[in-house]
Amino acid sequence: MTQTQHTPIPWKLSVHENIVYNDAKPDDIVICGSIRSKYDAHLIAAAPDMLAALEECLLLLEREFDEHGTENPRNYERVCLDLAQSAIKKARGEV
């Protein structure tokens, strides 16, 4: 797993749910401003947590493949592994 390069968590929503920011430091860091939809804002604010969860799921899937081999993986396992790898690469800017 690579070190994350995005702004550290926690990512929070403004009172009006149109700005995502990090308040871990004295000067708030705006992650994304002027978001038109509160649903988009919630999705953006959850992105680091979703990435961390997906990375953990990928580790578990890879461990399962290592322990039981990849000769005859169940189709859904292979699909899940491929989807997780693809999404993580996209989040890291690797595609």
Side-chain angles (χ1 to χ4, degrees):
M1 189 176 317
T2 62
Q3 182 74 12
T4 58
Q5 296 182 25
H6 58 72
T7 304
I9 56 174
W11 289 13
K12 298 182 178 184
L13 288 175
S14 65
V15 174
H16 300 289
E17 298 181 324
N18 66 339
I19 296 173
V20 177
Y21 68 99
N22 175 301
D23 69 350
K25 296 183 178 183
D27 7 330
D28 295 347
I29 298 172
V30 174
I31 311 289
C32 189
S34 301
I35 303 168
R36 295 176 190 237
S37 164
K38 71 177 184 177
Y39 304 105
D40 292 344
H42 283 274
L43 181 61
I44 292 165
D49 297 317
M50 292 189 301
L51 176 59
L54 189 57
E55 288 172 333
E56 186 64 29
C57 289
L58 182 60
L59 286 176
L60 293 172
L61 275 170
E62 289 172 339
R63 188 177 308 137
E64 184 72 16
F65 275 91
D66 288 344
E67 289 177 10
H68 301 288
T70 57
E71 296 246 343
N72 295 309
R74 293 179 289 243
N75 190 43
Y76 75 89
E77 292 172 332
R78 179 82 256 160
V79 170
C80 289
L81 189 66
D82 292 345
L83 288 171
Q85 289 171 333
S86 177
I88 290 169
K89 285 180 182 178
K90 184 175 182 181
R92 291 180 181 159
E94 296 172 1
V95 290

